[in-house]
Amino acid sequence: MPTTCVIGAQRGDEGKARIVDLLADEADVIVRFQGGSNAGHTVMFGGQTYRLHLVPSGIFRPEKTCVVAHGVVVDLEVLFHEIEGLRNQGFEIGRNLLVSDRAQVVMPWHRRIDQAREKSAGRQAMGTTGRGIGPAYADKVSYRGIRICDLFEPAWFEERLRLNLEEKNPILERVYGEAPLDFAQIRDAFMGHAEKIRPFVGDAVGFLHDAVAAGKRVLFEGAQAVLLDVDIGVYPYVTASNSSALGVSPGTGLPPRALDRVIGCAKAYATHVGNGPFPTEDHGAEGQRMRDVGKEYGTTTGRPRRCGWFDAVPVRFAARSNGIDALALVKLDVLRGFPSLRICTAYDTPHGRTTNLPASAAAVAAATPVYTEFPGFDEDVSGVRSFGDLPANAQGFVEAIERECGVPIELVSVGPSREQVIRRGGR
Ligand code: GDP
Ligand code: IMO
Ligand code: MG
Protein backbone atom coordinates (compact mmCIF):
# COMPACT_ATOMS: atom_id res chain seq x y z
CA MET A 1 0.00 0.00 0.00
CA PRO A 2 1.48 3.39 -0.97
CA THR A 3 0.66 6.54 1.06
CA THR A 4 -3.12 6.69 1.04
CA CYS A 5 -5.63 9.20 2.31
CA VAL A 6 -9.18 8.29 3.30
CA ILE A 7 -11.61 11.20 3.15
CA GLY A 8 -15.33 11.78 3.36
CA ALA A 9 -16.79 12.51 -0.08
CA GLN A 10 -20.09 13.89 1.29
CA ARG A 11 -20.96 15.76 4.51
CA GLY A 12 -19.23 13.65 7.14
CA ASP A 13 -19.92 10.37 8.90
CA GLU A 14 -19.39 8.29 5.76
CA GLY A 15 -17.78 5.49 7.72
CA LYS A 16 -14.23 6.82 7.25
CA ALA A 17 -13.04 5.25 10.49
CA ARG A 18 -14.53 1.93 9.52
CA ILE A 19 -12.59 1.99 6.24
CA VAL A 20 -9.40 3.25 7.94
CA ASP A 21 -9.66 0.43 10.48
CA LEU A 22 -9.84 -2.02 7.59
CA LEU A 23 -6.96 -0.52 5.59
CA ALA A 24 -4.84 -0.02 8.73
CA ASP A 25 -4.10 -3.72 8.57
CA GLU A 26 -1.89 -3.01 5.55
CA ALA A 27 -0.39 0.25 6.91
CA ASP A 28 2.51 1.06 9.23
CA VAL A 29 1.48 4.55 10.30
CA ILE A 30 -2.02 6.06 10.62
CA VAL A 31 -2.31 9.84 10.78
CA ARG A 32 -5.03 12.33 11.69
CA PHE A 33 -4.08 15.56 9.91
CA GLN A 34 -6.93 18.03 10.50
CA GLY A 35 -10.08 18.70 12.47
CA GLY A 36 -10.39 18.05 16.18
CA SER A 37 -12.79 16.45 18.59
CA ASN A 38 -15.68 17.50 16.34
CA ALA A 39 -14.97 14.21 14.58
CA GLY A 40 -16.81 11.13 15.79
CA HIS A 41 -15.27 7.99 14.35
CA THR A 42 -16.79 4.57 14.96
CA VAL A 43 -14.99 1.25 14.64
CA MET A 44 -16.61 -2.13 15.30
CA PHE A 45 -14.99 -5.52 15.60
CA GLY A 46 -15.23 -8.57 17.83
CA GLY A 47 -18.74 -7.53 18.86
CA GLN A 48 -17.45 -4.27 20.41
CA THR A 49 -18.06 -0.69 19.32
CA TYR A 50 -15.34 1.94 19.77
CA ARG A 51 -15.81 5.68 19.32
CA LEU A 52 -12.88 7.99 18.70
CA HIS A 53 -12.63 11.77 18.42
CA LEU A 54 -8.90 12.48 18.20
CA VAL A 55 -6.95 9.23 18.28
CA PRO A 56 -6.49 7.73 14.78
CA SER A 57 -8.51 4.60 14.03
CA GLY A 58 -5.35 2.52 13.67
CA ILE A 59 -4.97 2.43 17.45
CA PHE A 60 -6.57 -1.01 17.73
CA ARG A 61 -3.51 -2.52 16.06
CA PRO A 62 -0.77 -2.03 18.68
CA GLU A 63 2.12 -2.71 16.29
CA LYS A 64 1.23 0.40 14.22
CA THR A 65 2.12 3.99 15.03
CA CYS A 66 -0.73 6.49 15.26
CA VAL A 67 0.07 10.16 14.76
CA VAL A 68 -1.95 13.23 15.69
CA ALA A 69 -0.30 15.67 13.32
CA HIS A 70 -0.09 19.46 13.73
CA GLY A 71 -3.08 20.14 11.48
CA VAL A 72 -5.30 18.80 14.27
CA VAL A 73 -6.54 21.15 16.98
CA VAL A 74 -6.13 19.12 20.16
CA ASP A 75 -8.52 19.29 23.09
CA LEU A 76 -6.26 17.73 25.71
CA GLU A 77 -9.05 16.79 28.10
CA VAL A 78 -10.86 14.92 25.34
CA LEU A 79 -7.61 13.21 24.37
CA PHE A 80 -6.85 12.13 27.94
CA HIS A 81 -10.36 10.80 28.31
CA GLU A 82 -10.00 8.88 25.08
CA ILE A 83 -6.63 7.39 26.03
CA GLU A 84 -8.00 6.34 29.41
CA GLY A 85 -11.08 4.78 27.78
CA LEU A 86 -8.93 2.81 25.34
CA ARG A 87 -6.65 1.61 28.15
CA ASN A 88 -9.66 0.51 30.17
CA GLN A 89 -10.79 -1.49 27.16
CA GLY A 90 -7.46 -3.28 27.06
CA PHE A 91 -5.56 -1.34 24.40
CA GLU A 92 -2.02 -0.34 25.07
CA ILE A 93 -1.36 3.35 24.49
CA GLY A 94 2.25 4.36 24.79
CA ARG A 95 4.91 4.74 22.14
CA ASN A 96 2.32 3.79 19.51
CA LEU A 97 0.75 7.26 19.85
CA LEU A 98 2.67 10.36 18.74
CA VAL A 99 1.19 13.83 19.19
CA SER A 100 2.80 16.65 17.25
CA ASP A 101 4.62 19.29 19.28
CA ARG A 102 3.39 21.79 16.67
CA ALA A 103 -0.34 21.04 17.11
CA GLN A 104 -2.62 23.82 18.28
CA VAL A 105 -4.35 23.37 21.64
CA VAL A 106 -8.09 23.89 22.03
CA MET A 107 -8.32 26.22 25.03
CA PRO A 108 -11.31 26.68 27.35
CA TRP A 109 -12.32 29.96 25.66
CA HIS A 110 -12.61 28.23 22.30
CA ARG A 111 -15.45 26.00 23.43
CA ARG A 112 -17.10 28.84 25.35
CA ILE A 113 -16.97 31.23 22.41
CA ASP A 114 -18.11 28.54 19.93
CA GLN A 115 -21.17 27.76 22.03
CA ALA A 116 -21.95 31.39 22.87
CA ARG A 117 -21.68 32.43 19.21
CA GLU A 118 -24.00 29.66 18.16
CA LYS A 119 -26.54 30.59 20.82
CA SER A 120 -26.55 34.21 19.78
CA ALA A 121 -26.62 33.55 16.02
CA GLY A 122 -30.29 32.51 15.90
CA ARG A 123 -31.30 31.59 12.37
CA GLN A 124 -27.72 32.04 11.21
CA ALA A 125 -26.44 29.36 13.60
CA MET A 126 -24.16 26.84 11.94
CA GLY A 127 -25.08 23.83 14.02
CA THR A 128 -21.47 23.32 15.11
CA THR A 129 -20.51 20.49 17.41
CA GLY A 130 -19.71 23.07 20.09
CA ARG A 131 -16.17 21.71 20.49
CA GLY A 132 -14.43 25.03 19.95
CA ILE A 133 -13.12 24.11 16.52
CA GLY A 134 -13.85 27.35 14.63
CA PRO A 135 -12.42 29.63 17.34
CA ALA A 136 -9.33 27.41 17.75
CA TYR A 137 -8.50 27.58 14.03
CA ALA A 138 -9.34 31.31 13.99
CA ASP A 139 -6.72 31.90 16.69
CA LYS A 140 -4.23 29.74 14.81
CA VAL A 141 -4.43 31.83 11.67
CA SER A 142 -4.58 35.13 13.56
CA TYR A 143 -1.38 34.33 15.50
CA ARG A 144 -3.04 33.95 18.90
CA GLY A 145 -2.95 30.17 19.12
CA ILE A 146 -1.17 28.17 21.79
CA ARG A 147 0.67 25.11 20.59
CA ILE A 148 1.56 21.94 22.46
CA CYS A 149 5.26 22.91 22.51
CA ASP A 150 4.29 26.17 24.27
CA LEU A 151 3.01 24.18 27.26
CA PHE A 152 6.59 23.15 28.05
CA GLU A 153 7.80 26.75 28.34
CA PRO A 154 5.91 27.94 31.46
CA ALA A 155 6.91 31.62 31.29
CA TRP A 156 6.05 31.84 27.58
CA PHE A 157 2.82 29.94 28.13
CA GLU A 158 1.77 32.37 30.88
CA GLU A 159 2.41 35.30 28.57
CA ARG A 160 0.33 33.72 25.81
CA LEU A 161 -2.42 32.88 28.27
CA ARG A 162 -2.51 36.42 29.63
CA LEU A 163 -2.59 37.92 26.14
CA ASN A 164 -5.49 35.66 25.19
CA LEU A 165 -7.52 36.29 28.32
CA GLU A 166 -7.12 40.05 27.90
CA GLU A 167 -8.82 39.63 24.57
CA LYS A 168 -11.24 36.74 25.25
CA ASN A 169 -12.65 37.75 28.64
CA PRO A 170 -14.07 41.05 27.34
CA ILE A 171 -15.61 39.12 24.43
CA LEU A 172 -17.16 36.58 26.78
CA GLU A 173 -18.41 39.25 29.20
CA ARG A 174 -19.40 42.16 26.97
CA VAL A 175 -20.46 40.46 23.77
CA TYR A 176 -22.02 37.29 25.13
CA GLY A 177 -22.84 38.19 28.74
CA GLU A 178 -20.86 35.24 30.06
CA ALA A 179 -18.62 34.85 33.09
CA PRO A 180 -14.91 35.51 32.50
CA LEU A 181 -12.26 32.80 32.67
CA ASP A 182 -9.73 32.66 35.50
CA PHE A 183 -6.03 32.99 34.69
CA ALA A 184 -4.63 30.98 37.61
CA GLN A 185 -7.11 28.18 37.21
CA ILE A 186 -6.28 27.70 33.53
CA ARG A 187 -2.54 28.05 34.12
CA ASP A 188 -2.56 25.36 36.80
CA ALA A 189 -4.77 23.02 34.80
CA PHE A 190 -2.59 23.31 31.69
CA MET A 191 0.66 22.87 33.61
CA GLY A 192 -0.86 19.57 34.77
CA HIS A 193 -1.94 18.74 31.22
CA ALA A 194 1.60 19.45 29.98
CA GLU A 195 3.08 16.75 32.18
CA LYS A 196 0.34 14.31 31.25
CA ILE A 197 0.76 14.78 27.49
CA ARG A 198 4.57 14.98 27.55
CA PRO A 199 5.25 11.25 27.02
CA PHE A 200 3.28 11.30 23.76
CA VAL A 201 4.69 14.51 22.30
CA GLY A 202 7.36 14.61 19.63
CA ASP A 203 8.48 15.91 16.28
CA ALA A 204 5.77 14.43 14.08
CA VAL A 205 7.00 16.31 11.01
CA GLY A 206 10.40 14.63 11.27
CA PHE A 207 8.82 11.27 12.09
CA LEU A 208 6.57 11.39 9.03
CA HIS A 209 9.37 12.51 6.74
CA ASP A 210 11.49 9.58 7.89
CA ALA A 211 8.56 7.17 7.55
CA VAL A 212 7.86 8.22 3.96
CA ALA A 213 11.58 8.18 3.08
CA ALA A 214 11.85 4.66 4.47
CA GLY A 215 8.96 3.53 2.29
CA LYS A 216 6.64 2.97 5.25
CA ARG A 217 2.97 2.62 4.37
CA VAL A 218 1.27 5.73 5.69
CA LEU A 219 -2.50 6.03 5.93
CA PHE A 220 -4.06 9.47 6.43
CA GLU A 221 -7.43 9.53 8.17
CA GLY A 222 -9.59 12.45 7.15
CA ALA A 223 -12.18 13.89 9.49
CA GLN A 224 -15.37 15.62 8.29
CA ALA A 225 -15.61 15.74 4.50
CA VAL A 226 -15.11 17.56 1.22
CA LEU A 227 -18.42 19.45 1.46
CA LEU A 228 -17.34 20.71 4.89
CA ASP A 229 -13.89 21.84 3.70
CA VAL A 230 -13.36 25.48 4.63
CA ASP A 231 -12.10 26.38 1.15
CA ILE A 232 -14.01 24.14 -1.24
CA GLY A 233 -17.07 23.19 0.83
CA VAL A 234 -20.46 24.86 0.85
CA TYR A 235 -19.31 27.95 2.76
CA PRO A 236 -20.25 29.05 5.43
CA TYR A 237 -21.76 25.64 6.31
CA VAL A 238 -18.32 24.10 6.65
CA THR A 239 -15.82 23.27 9.35
CA ALA A 240 -12.71 25.35 9.96
CA SER A 241 -10.09 23.07 8.37
CA ASN A 242 -9.24 21.65 4.95
CA SER A 243 -11.27 18.55 5.68
CA SER A 244 -10.31 16.84 2.46
CA ALA A 245 -7.14 15.49 0.90
CA LEU A 246 -6.19 19.14 0.38
CA GLY A 247 -5.36 19.25 4.09
CA VAL A 248 -2.75 16.48 4.11
CA SER A 249 0.27 18.56 3.19
CA PRO A 250 -0.34 21.61 5.41
CA GLY A 251 -1.57 19.37 8.22
CA THR A 252 1.49 17.12 8.28
CA GLY A 253 4.35 19.08 6.77
CA LEU A 254 4.81 16.44 4.07
CA PRO A 255 5.20 17.65 0.49
CA PRO A 256 2.07 17.32 -1.68
CA ARG A 257 3.75 14.67 -3.83
CA ALA A 258 4.06 12.39 -0.80
CA LEU A 259 0.42 11.41 -1.24
CA ASP A 260 -0.06 8.55 -3.72
CA ARG A 261 -3.69 7.62 -3.45
CA VAL A 262 -7.00 9.08 -2.31
CA ILE A 263 -9.97 6.98 -1.28
CA GLY A 264 -13.30 8.73 -0.91
CA CYS A 265 -15.92 7.31 1.43
CA ALA A 266 -19.55 7.76 0.55
CA LYS A 267 -22.78 6.42 1.98
CA ALA A 268 -25.19 4.77 -0.43
CA TYR A 269 -27.53 7.61 0.58
CA ALA A 270 -26.79 11.03 2.08
CA THR A 271 -26.79 12.50 5.58
CA HIS A 272 -25.97 15.79 7.21
CA VAL A 273 -25.72 16.74 10.85
CA GLY A 274 -25.76 20.49 11.37
CA ASN A 275 -27.29 23.27 9.35
CA GLY A 276 -26.92 24.17 5.69
CA PRO A 277 -28.39 23.35 2.30
CA PHE A 278 -29.07 19.69 1.51
CA PRO A 279 -30.96 19.37 -1.80
CA THR A 280 -31.76 15.65 -1.54
CA GLU A 281 -32.92 15.80 2.10
CA ASP A 282 -36.06 13.71 2.60
CA HIS A 283 -38.36 14.99 5.34
CA GLY A 284 -40.79 12.11 4.89
CA ALA A 285 -40.99 8.41 5.59
CA GLU A 286 -38.01 7.46 3.42
CA GLY A 287 -35.63 9.80 5.25
CA GLN A 288 -36.99 8.56 8.57
CA ARG A 289 -36.45 4.97 7.49
CA MET A 290 -32.80 5.73 6.58
CA ARG A 291 -32.35 7.35 10.00
CA ASP A 292 -33.91 4.41 11.85
CA VAL A 293 -32.27 1.57 9.94
CA GLY A 294 -28.94 3.39 9.48
CA LYS A 295 -28.95 4.55 13.15
CA GLU A 296 -28.23 8.04 11.90
CA TYR A 297 -27.52 9.91 15.11
CA GLY A 298 -24.32 11.95 15.54
CA THR A 299 -21.37 10.12 17.10
CA THR A 300 -20.14 13.30 18.79
CA THR A 301 -23.35 15.13 19.68
CA GLY A 302 -26.10 12.49 19.43
CA ARG A 303 -28.10 14.81 17.16
CA PRO A 304 -30.40 13.09 14.64
CA ARG A 305 -28.76 13.26 11.21
CA ARG A 306 -30.76 14.68 8.33
CA CYS A 307 -31.16 11.97 5.66
CA GLY A 308 -31.89 11.77 1.94
CA TRP A 309 -31.01 10.15 -1.35
CA PHE A 310 -27.53 9.78 -2.82
CA ASP A 311 -26.43 13.01 -4.49
CA ALA A 312 -23.89 12.46 -7.26
CA VAL A 313 -23.35 16.21 -7.78
CA PRO A 314 -21.20 16.81 -4.68
CA VAL A 315 -19.52 13.39 -4.86
CA ARG A 316 -18.47 14.10 -8.44
CA PHE A 317 -17.15 17.47 -7.24
CA ALA A 318 -15.29 15.74 -4.39
CA ALA A 319 -13.77 13.25 -6.80
CA ARG A 320 -12.53 15.95 -9.12
CA SER A 321 -11.22 18.40 -6.53
CA ASN A 322 -9.49 15.71 -4.49
CA GLY A 323 -8.30 13.37 -7.20
CA ILE A 324 -10.23 10.50 -5.66
CA ASP A 325 -8.86 7.24 -7.11
CA ALA A 326 -11.50 4.95 -5.69
CA LEU A 327 -14.67 5.11 -3.64
CA ALA A 328 -15.66 3.04 -0.64
CA LEU A 329 -19.44 2.83 -0.63
CA VAL A 330 -20.83 2.16 2.84
CA LYS A 331 -24.19 1.29 4.35
CA LEU A 332 -25.59 -0.43 1.27
CA ASP A 333 -27.39 -2.77 3.71
CA VAL A 334 -29.47 0.16 4.98
CA LEU A 335 -31.24 0.49 1.61
CA ARG A 336 -32.75 -2.98 1.81
CA GLY A 337 -36.53 -2.96 1.48
CA PHE A 338 -37.03 0.36 -0.30
CA PRO A 339 -39.28 -0.39 -3.32
CA SER A 340 -37.16 1.94 -5.44
CA LEU A 341 -33.85 3.70 -4.97
CA ARG A 342 -32.86 7.14 -6.21
CA ILE A 343 -29.71 8.95 -7.30
CA CYS A 344 -29.61 12.69 -7.87
CA THR A 345 -27.63 13.23 -11.06
CA ALA A 346 -28.03 16.99 -11.59
CA TYR A 347 -29.64 20.13 -10.15
CA ASP A 348 -32.29 22.26 -11.75
CA THR A 349 -31.51 25.88 -10.96
CA PRO A 350 -33.00 29.22 -12.03
CA HIS A 351 -30.18 29.35 -14.59
CA GLY A 352 -30.84 25.91 -16.03
CA ARG A 353 -29.76 22.36 -15.34
CA THR A 354 -26.26 21.73 -13.99
CA THR A 355 -24.16 18.75 -12.98
CA ASN A 356 -21.72 21.02 -11.11
CA LEU A 357 -21.85 22.02 -7.48
CA PRO A 358 -22.59 25.77 -7.26
CA ALA A 359 -20.26 27.85 -5.09
CA SER A 360 -22.94 29.69 -3.18
CA ALA A 361 -24.86 28.10 -0.34
CA ALA A 362 -27.94 30.02 -1.45
CA ALA A 363 -27.67 28.49 -4.93
CA VAL A 364 -27.31 24.99 -3.49
CA ALA A 365 -30.32 25.65 -1.26
CA ALA A 366 -32.36 26.75 -4.28
CA ALA A 367 -31.40 23.71 -6.39
CA THR A 368 -34.02 21.09 -7.23
CA PRO A 369 -32.55 17.62 -7.51
CA VAL A 370 -33.00 15.69 -10.74
CA TYR A 371 -33.42 12.00 -9.88
CA THR A 372 -32.91 8.74 -11.70
CA GLU A 373 -34.87 5.88 -10.17
CA PHE A 374 -33.70 2.28 -9.78
CA PRO A 375 -35.50 -0.87 -8.62
CA GLY A 376 -34.82 -1.74 -4.97
CA PHE A 377 -33.76 -5.02 -3.34
CA ASP A 378 -35.37 -6.96 -0.49
CA GLU A 379 -32.59 -9.37 0.38
CA ASP A 380 -30.42 -9.06 3.49
CA VAL A 381 -26.99 -8.21 2.08
CA SER A 382 -25.13 -7.93 5.38
CA GLY A 383 -23.59 -11.39 5.01
CA VAL A 384 -22.53 -10.96 1.37
CA ARG A 385 -18.75 -10.87 0.80
CA SER A 386 -18.46 -10.93 -2.96
CA PHE A 387 -19.94 -8.44 -5.40
CA GLY A 388 -21.40 -11.12 -7.65
CA ASP A 389 -23.44 -12.46 -4.71
CA LEU A 390 -25.29 -9.18 -4.23
CA PRO A 391 -28.84 -9.07 -5.57
CA ALA A 392 -28.83 -7.87 -9.19
CA ASN A 393 -30.66 -4.66 -8.25
CA ALA A 394 -28.10 -3.85 -5.57
CA GLN A 395 -25.29 -4.43 -8.06
CA GLY A 396 -27.07 -2.20 -10.56
CA PHE A 397 -27.39 0.58 -7.98
CA VAL A 398 -23.69 0.43 -7.04
CA GLU A 399 -22.70 0.46 -10.71
CA ALA A 400 -24.95 3.43 -11.35
CA ILE A 401 -23.23 5.40 -8.55
CA GLU A 402 -19.87 4.43 -10.01
CA ARG A 403 -20.95 5.62 -13.44
CA GLU A 404 -22.48 8.88 -12.21
CA CYS A 405 -19.46 9.80 -10.08
CA GLY A 406 -16.89 8.63 -12.60
CA VAL A 407 -14.87 6.76 -9.97
CA PRO A 408 -14.49 3.01 -9.43
CA ILE A 409 -16.06 1.63 -6.26
CA GLU A 410 -13.45 -0.69 -4.77
CA LEU A 411 -15.04 -1.38 -1.43
CA VAL A 412 -18.69 -1.92 -0.60
CA SER A 413 -19.56 -2.02 3.08
CA VAL A 414 -22.66 -4.00 4.04
CA GLY A 415 -22.55 -3.65 7.83
CA PRO A 416 -20.69 -1.78 10.56
CA SER A 417 -18.42 -4.62 11.60
CA ARG A 418 -14.84 -4.98 10.34
CA GLU A 419 -15.51 -8.08 8.24
CA GLN A 420 -18.76 -6.85 6.65
CA VAL A 421 -17.18 -5.65 3.47
CA ILE A 422 -16.95 -6.57 -0.21
CA ARG A 423 -13.58 -5.91 -1.85
CA ARG A 424 -13.56 -5.30 -5.57
CA GLY A 425 -9.78 -5.04 -5.98
CA GLY A 426 -7.96 -4.08 -9.15
CA ARG A 427 -10.73 -2.03 -10.64
P1 GDP B 1 -17.03 8.60 10.21
O1 GDP B 1 -17.17 9.84 11.01
O2 GDP B 1 -16.95 8.86 8.74
O3 GDP B 1 -15.92 7.71 10.66
O4 GDP B 1 -18.38 7.78 10.43
P2 GDP B 1 -19.20 7.62 11.82
O5 GDP B 1 -18.50 6.62 12.66
O6 GDP B 1 -19.52 8.92 12.42
O7 GDP B 1 -20.58 7.08 11.27
C1 GDP B 1 -20.70 5.92 10.54
C2 GDP B 1 -21.70 5.00 11.24
O8 GDP B 1 -22.11 3.98 10.35
C3 GDP B 1 -21.09 4.26 12.43
O9 GDP B 1 -22.08 4.09 13.40
C4 GDP B 1 -20.67 2.93 11.85
O10 GDP B 1 -20.63 1.90 12.81
C5 GDP B 1 -21.77 2.69 10.86
N1 GDP B 1 -21.40 1.93 9.66
C6 GDP B 1 -20.26 2.00 8.93
N2 GDP B 1 -20.35 1.22 7.83
C7 GDP B 1 -21.57 0.66 7.85
C8 GDP B 1 -22.28 -0.20 6.97
O11 GDP B 1 -21.81 -0.63 5.92
N3 GDP B 1 -23.56 -0.55 7.33
C9 GDP B 1 -24.14 -0.10 8.48
N4 GDP B 1 -25.38 -0.49 8.74
N5 GDP B 1 -23.50 0.73 9.32
C10 GDP B 1 -22.24 1.11 9.01
P1 IMO C 1 -16.70 13.15 11.16
O1 IMO C 1 -15.19 13.14 11.11
C1 IMO C 1 -20.35 15.35 10.37
C2 IMO C 1 -20.23 19.67 11.06
C3 IMO C 1 -21.10 20.23 12.15
C4 IMO C 1 -21.43 21.58 11.54
C5 IMO C 1 -20.12 21.98 10.88
C6 IMO C 1 -19.23 22.89 11.71
O2 IMO C 1 -17.25 12.31 12.25
O3 IMO C 1 -17.28 12.87 9.82
P2 IMO C 1 -17.70 22.39 13.82
O4 IMO C 1 -18.03 21.82 15.15
O5 IMO C 1 -16.72 21.58 13.03
O6 IMO C 1 -17.30 23.83 13.87
O7 IMO C 1 -19.09 22.37 13.01
O8 IMO C 1 -19.43 20.76 10.62
N1 IMO C 1 -19.31 18.60 11.47
C7 IMO C 1 -19.48 17.30 11.17
N2 IMO C 1 -20.49 16.67 10.54
N3 IMO C 1 -19.27 14.65 10.76
C8 IMO C 1 -18.23 15.27 11.37
O9 IMO C 1 -17.06 14.66 11.62
C9 IMO C 1 -18.33 16.65 11.64
N4 IMO C 1 -17.52 17.56 12.23
C10 IMO C 1 -18.12 18.74 12.10
O10 IMO C 1 -22.24 19.45 12.37
O11 IMO C 1 -22.39 21.43 10.53
MG1 MG D 1 -18.48 10.73 12.35
Side-chain angles (χ1 to χ4, degrees):
M1 184 179 87
T3 52
T4 301
C5 180
V6 173
I7 54 161
Q10 295 163 318
R11 293 179 173 83
D13 306 322
E14 303 92 342
K16 296 176 292 292
R18 178 252 183 288
I19 298 299
V20 168
D21 167 63
L22 194 74
L23 301 181
D25 188 31
E26 297 147 33
D28 301 303
V29 180
I30 299 92
V31 189
R32 273 282 309 271
F33 57 93
Q34 48 67 230
S37 61
N38 49 350
H41 290 180
T42 316
V43 173
M44 277 179 76
F45 58 89
Q48 298 292 319
T49 302
Y50 304 97
R51 293 189 179 85
L52 301 169
H53 300 288
L54 285 165
V55 174
S57 301
I59 201 70
F60 307 106
R61 303 177 190 268
E63 70 284 10
K64 321 279 182 186
T65 305
C66 285
V67 179
V68 177
H70 63 250
V72 176
V73 289
V74 181
D75 186 322
L76 289 167
E77 286 175 16
V78 173
L79 183 58
F80 296 144
H81 188 252
E82 207 161 299
I83 291 171
E84 198 182 301
L86 286 162
R87 282 179 172 158
N88 289 340
Q89 287 170 301
F91 297 99
E92 191 195 318
I93 317 288
R95 294 191 65 80
N96 56 338
L97 179 67
L98 172 63
V99 178
S100 176
D101 47 7
R102 292 177 168 87
Q104 298 276 329
V105 181
V106 176
M107 298 299 295
W109 52 85
H110 293 138
R111 256 178 200 258
R112 292 274 302 273
I113 291 174
D114 184 4
Q115 291 167 10
R117 283 178 95 198
E118 282 284 281
K119 214 161 58 184
S120 70
R123 261 171 46 82
Q124 284 282 320
M126 284 281 311
T128 73
T129 59
R131 298 299 184 101
I133 305 302
Y137 278 109
D139 274 348
K140 168 182 170 173
V141 297
S142 60
Y143 327 128
R144 280 291 155 92
I146 293 177
R147 300 198 299 174
I148 287 187
C149 54
D150 298 331
L151 302 179
F152 306 124
E153 309 283 348
W156 170 250
F157 173 74
E158 283 194 19
E159 254 183 70
R160 300 292 292 170
L161 178 59
R162 201 176 303 279
L163 179 72
N164 267 285
L165 287 181
E166 277 166 12
E167 177 186 49
K168 268 65 180 199
N169 273 340
I171 294 176
L172 283 170
E173 288 183 276
R174 289 187 217 144
V175 180
Y176 299 117
E178 302 249 337
L181 288 160
D182 182 63
F183 174 85
Q185 205 178 351
I186 297 177
R187 179 198 55 204
D188 295 349
F190 277 78
M191 288 302 93
H193 293 347
E195 290 320 303
K196 227 167 143 183
I197 196 67
R198 195 189 282 276
F200 300 103
V201 177
D203 173 16
V205 174
F207 175 85
L208 289 172
H209 273 273
D210 291 347
V212 170
K216 294 262 173 70
R217 300 161 302 175
V218 183
L219 182 60
F220 301 96
E221 175 175 1
Q224 294 85 48
V226 175
L227 283 199
L228 296 171
D229 183 291
V230 67
D231 285 306
I232 58 168
V234 184
Y235 195 88
Y237 299 100
V238 294
T239 190
S241 65
N242 281 123
S243 52
S244 68
L246 306 188
V248 171
S249 190
T252 60
L254 286 167
R257 67 170 173 272
L259 183 58
D260 296 315
R261 224 170 120 67
V262 180
I263 296 180
C265 292
K267 278 181 199 174
Y269 48 101
T271 63
H272 185 34
V273 57
N275 303 337
F278 181 4
T280 66
E281 180 170 16
D282 187 299
H283 296 280
E286 291 183 326
Q288 188 58 46
R289 185 185 165 113
M290 289 167 187
R291 186 154 41 248
D292 292 342
V293 179
K295 301 196 176 82
E296 296 294 354
Y297 295 88
T299 312
T300 299
T301 57
R303 291 178 290 180
R305 295 182 185 138
R306 300 155 67 193
C307 296
W309 290 107
F310 187 91
D311 188 349
V313 175
V315 179
R316 217 180 274 139
F317 172 80
R320 244 198 280 170
S321 55
N322 277 254
I324 292 178
D325 296 290
L327 283 175
L329 190 73
V330 309
K331 295 199 150 182
L332 183 64
D333 53 303
V334 175
L335 295 185
R336 171 194 189 188
F338 283 89
S340 64
L341 306 173
R342 289 200 272 173
I343 297 175
C344 166
T345 58
Y347 295 158
D348 274 336
T349 76
H351 313 291
R353 186 162 290 190
T354 180
T355 54
N356 291 326
L357 185 69
S360 118
V364 178
T368 307
V370 179
Y371 287 112
T372 304
E373 219 162 286
F374 299 84
F377 57 92
D378 285 324
E379 297 85 343
D380 176 6
V381 297
S382 63
V384 175
R385 298 291 176 267
S386 109
F387 191 71
D389 292 341
L390 282 174
N393 287 349
Q395 289 188 34
F397 187 66
V398 173
E399 285 165 351
I401 291 179
E402 201 167 45
R403 222 169 29 244
E404 279 303 328
C405 300
V407 185
I409 294 175
E410 285 189 359
L411 293 164
V412 180
S413 174
V414 290
S417 201
R418 190 180 268 173
E419 70 287 353
Q420 290 183 294
V421 72
I422 297 169
R423 288 175 184 264
R424 299 169 81 207
R427 294 176 55 74

